[in-house]
């Protein structure tokens, strides 16, 4: 190993990440140990170099961090003493660019020491408990912030965001403790928010450069100034989405709406704003402006698609399809009606009732879409054991054979 050129040794160490591998390399020879500053990334997985003697364990982490003077990326998933975090970050602060830290709900961990890494560009925190402003110093270079499985009390998120005003990417995943979230970030482009816990959580977002927005768990979503928004997903797995407010959505390419219950006003509001959308996915079981679960009201098929002329793909489940299949939903469909860009349709059906109207709707969609390449009919577990189930399956099979080049059944 001693005959290897210096450049080769440096190259090898540059691509070393796992703490065990780095520690072993430092023991190869004195010459290899001298090249330890070339290590740019350190990854400490759970139980990576764990020793029952915590002091020795922390000393090993500290020694590896101190010996890597060019350290740019640090990932700490293993147990460590929170009191040592500050000196470690201070040691690596000049060169450190990416920090991935798992604290597992340890309230003793002083997150204010993160400010010691002045050049930090991305930060990921796991299992943190942030009850107030974390006290980070201003981090103008920090552009990516991700907080996972953490508890943030009122005002904590505000303090976090005030410390990093130049964020372009923000993710809060599986977090709880918040009732109202307000985000105002001038440069934010991508945002993923997934909140947990009972009750109705509200979101107010003001980021004029936002391009990607994925929110889960909010009952009220208010987003201002969205000229650049291309991908939007709103979901709520329990409870009701009762209010959705957006500005114009001229650039929207993909829209995904999911949940058990949405107020019909919220559904109408977002669909009206998304008139230019190309890819639409809807899986909402019920509507209703109260706790009472109601079916969707009738939707005129021609009116709906005339308001969304740019649709290329369209996927709907149960309630939305039933609304398009109600009596008089096809009254506006004539020989001149056309859905010009629709290429793929995927429809999930769970009830055999009203079979004739459903088949008429499917045929109208197919005949009115000159570019349609695929229509997938997914038949879910039927709740109804009525004799109409057999008749429905027969109609679907006949429809499949009639348009076998386009129609598929799942």
């Amino acid at each position: 190993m001693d005959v290897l050129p210096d450049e080769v040794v440096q190259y090898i160490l540059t691509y070393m990440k796992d703490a065990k591998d780095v520690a072993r390399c430092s023991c190869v020879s004195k010459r290899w140990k001298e090249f330890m500053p070339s290590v740019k990334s350190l990854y400490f997985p759970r139980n990576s170099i764990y020793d029952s003697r915590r002091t020795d364990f922390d000393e090993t982490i500290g020694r590896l961090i101190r010996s890597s003077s060019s350290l740019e990326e640090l990932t700490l998933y293993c147990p460590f003493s929170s009191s040592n975090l500050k000196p470690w970050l201070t040691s690596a602060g000049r060169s450190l660019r990416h920090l991935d830290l798992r604290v597992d709900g340890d309230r003793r961990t002083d997150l204010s020491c993160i400010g010691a890494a002045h050049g930090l560009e991305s930060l990921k925190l796991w299992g943190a408990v942030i009850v107030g402003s974390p006290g980070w110093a201003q981090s103008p270079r920090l552009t990516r912030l991700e907080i996972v499985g953490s508890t943030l009390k009122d005002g904590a998120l505000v303090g976090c965001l005030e410390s990093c005003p130049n964020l372009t990417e923000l993710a809060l995943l599986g977090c709880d403790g918040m009732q109202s979230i307000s985000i105002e970030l001038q440069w934010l482009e991508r945002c993923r928010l997934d909140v947990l816990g009972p009750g109705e959580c509200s979101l107010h977002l003001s980021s004029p450069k936002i391009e990607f927005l994925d929110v889960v768990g909010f009952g009220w979503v208010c987003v201002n100034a969205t000229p650049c928004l291309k991908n939007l997903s709103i979901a709520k797995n329990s409870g009701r989405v009762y209010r959705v407010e957006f500005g114009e959505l001229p650039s929207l390419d993909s829209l995904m709406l999911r949940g058990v219950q949405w107020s019909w006003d919220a559904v109408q509001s977002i669909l009206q704003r998304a008139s230019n959308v190309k890819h639409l996915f809807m899986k909402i079981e019920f509507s209703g402006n109260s706790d009472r679960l109601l079916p969707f009201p009738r939707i005129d098929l021609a009116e709906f698609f005339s308001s969304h002329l740019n649709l290329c793909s369209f996927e709907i489940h149960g309630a939305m399809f039933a609304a398009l299949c109600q009596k008089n939903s096809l009254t506006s469909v004539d020989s001149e009606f056309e859905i010009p860009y629709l290429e793929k349709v995927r429809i999930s059906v769970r009830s055999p009732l009203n079979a004739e109207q459903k088949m008429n709707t499917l045929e109208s969609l197919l005949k009115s879409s000159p570019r349609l390449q695929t229509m997938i009919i997914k038949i879910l577990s039927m709740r109804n054991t009525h004799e109409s189930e057999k008749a429905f399956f027969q109609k679907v099979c006949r429809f499949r054979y009639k348009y076998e080049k386009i129609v598929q059944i799942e």
Side-chain angles (χ1 to χ4, degrees):
M1 299 295 284
D2 286 337
V3 300
L4 287 175
D6 292 351
E7 293 78 6
V8 174
V9 177
Q10 288 179 325
Y11 182 83
I12 293 173
L13 291 175
T14 298
Y15 286 89
M16 286 288 180
K17 291 186 177 182
D18 191 280
K20 282 186 177 180
D21 296 335
V22 174
R24 288 165 180 162
C25 285
S26 67
C27 299
V28 170
S29 67
K30 182 178 180 181
R31 176 167 169 264
W32 275 61
K33 188 175 182 179
E34 291 174 351
F35 282 107
M36 288 304 294
S38 302
V39 175
K40 295 185 179 297
S41 179
L42 280 176
Y43 170 56
F44 294 88
R46 280 184 172 273
N47 303 321
S48 56
I49 50 177
Y50 186 77
D51 191 301
S52 58
R53 295 167 296 177
R54 174 57 65 85
T55 303
D56 291 348
F57 180 44
D58 286 350
E59 286 179 357
T60 302
I61 297 176
R63 184 172 63 254
L64 288 174
I65 292 176
R66 287 190 298 271
S67 64
S68 307
S69 58
S70 301
L71 191 63
E72 297 180 359
E73 182 177 354
L74 176 61
T75 302
L76 274 174
Y77 288 166
C78 58
F80 62 89
S81 297
S82 58
S83 59
N84 288 320
L85 182 59
K86 184 173 183 179
W88 294 342
L89 294 182
T90 301
S91 174
R94 294 182 179 180
S95 59
L96 196 62
R97 297 291 177 266
H98 311 284
L99 177 61
D100 192 342
L101 187 64
R102 188 170 196 137
V103 296
D104 286 338
D106 189 348
R107 293 175 178 269
R108 299 169 299 173
T109 303
D110 181 12
L111 296 178
S112 65
C113 65
I114 291 175
H118 303 293
L120 211 58
E121 296 174 2
S122 72
L123 172 62
K124 187 172 184 179
L125 293 175
W126 298 74
V129 177
I130 309 176
V131 297
S133 176
W136 303 337
Q138 280 283 329
S139 304
R141 293 185 180 182
L142 191 64
T143 58
R144 296 188 298 276
L145 174 62
E146 185 170 348
I147 303 176
V148 183
S150 302
T151 299
L152 290 86
K153 298 300 182 181
D154 293 340
L157 181 61
V158 175
C160 293
L161 299 183
E162 286 178 349
S163 302
C164 36
N166 296 325
L167 285 181
T168 59
E169 296 183 27
L170 172 65
L172 303 177
L173 307 178
C175 295
D176 61 12
M178 298 170 289
Q179 290 296 318
S180 178
I181 295 178
S182 180
I183 299 172
E184 295 185 17
L185 292 169
Q186 182 180 359
W187 307 107
L188 190 65
E189 297 176 356
R190 297 179 60 85
C191 184
R192 297 172 61 206
L193 305 174
D194 182 355
V195 298
L196 305 176
E200 302 294 345
C201 190
S202 63
L203 168 67
H204 183 276
L205 175 68
S206 181
S207 299
K209 295 185 180 294
I210 192 77
E211 296 181 3
F212 176 94
L213 179 60
D214 182 356
V215 297
V216 180
F218 294 89
W220 178 13
V221 180
C222 178
V223 182
N224 299 327
T226 52
C228 303
L229 188 60
K230 297 178 181 179
N231 294 277
L232 172 61
S233 176
I234 304 175
K236 198 171 194 311
N237 299 324
S238 62
R240 177 167 52 96
V241 177
Y242 58 91
R243 191 170 180 180
V244 176
E245 297 179 5
F246 276 79
E248 296 300 323
L249 298 168
S251 303
L252 193 64
D253 183 74
S254 175
L255 174 62
M256 181 178 290
L257 307 176
R258 294 173 293 148
V260 176
Q261 182 187 17
W262 281 51
S263 77
W264 184 241
D265 291 340
V267 175
Q268 278 188 311
S269 174
I270 191 63
L271 288 179
Q272 288 173 359
R273 296 294 187 183
S275 58
N276 294 322
V277 69
K278 296 179 181 178
H279 308 282
L280 176 60
F281 174 97
M282 289 185 64
K283 188 179 181 181
I284 302 172
E285 301 297 331
F286 301 97
S287 69
N289 293 323
S290 65
D291 292 336
R292 184 183 176 189
L293 301 178
L294 299 174
F296 279 21
R298 181 184 70 85
I299 298 176
D300 186 280
L301 186 140
E303 182 180 331
F304 175 81
F305 282 99
S306 296
S307 301
H308 301 86
L309 286 174
N310 295 325
L311 271 179
C312 296
S313 67
F314 183 49
E315 181 170 348
I316 54 174
H317 292 243
M320 182 66 177
F321 181 54
L324 290 169
C325 297
Q326 292 186 23
K327 186 178 180 181
N328 300 324
S329 291
L330 302 177
T331 52
S332 302
V333 177
D334 54 30
S335 58
E336 297 182 358
F337 172 66
E338 185 177 279
I339 309 171
Y341 303 111
L342 192 62
E343 297 178 353
K344 183 177 181 179
V345 175
R346 184 184 180 94
I347 297 174
S348 297
V349 186
R350 65 171 54 191
S351 171
L353 301 179
N354 199 18
E356 192 67 36
Q357 189 68 23
K358 287 178 178 177
M359 301 315 301
N360 290 338
T361 300
L362 290 173
E363 191 149 16
S364 296
L365 274 174
L366 192 148
K367 290 182 176 180
S368 303
S369 307
R371 296 191 181 186
L372 190 65
Q373 299 174 8
T374 306
M375 174 182 283
I376 300 173
I377 304 172
K378 183 176 182 179
I379 302 188
L380 305 176
S381 299
M382 294 289 181
R383 296 179 179 178
N384 199 306
T385 57
H386 196 270
E387 291 181 359
S388 58
E389 182 177 343
K390 182 178 180 180
F392 176 73
F393 278 119
Q394 291 175 342
K395 291 179 183 295
V396 170
C397 289
R398 285 197 294 268
F399 183 73
R400 160 73 177 86
Y401 286 117
K402 184 178 180 180
Y403 302 102
E404 59 182 355
K405 293 184 178 180
I406 296 177
V407 178
Q408 302 174 21
I409 297 177
E410 292 184 359

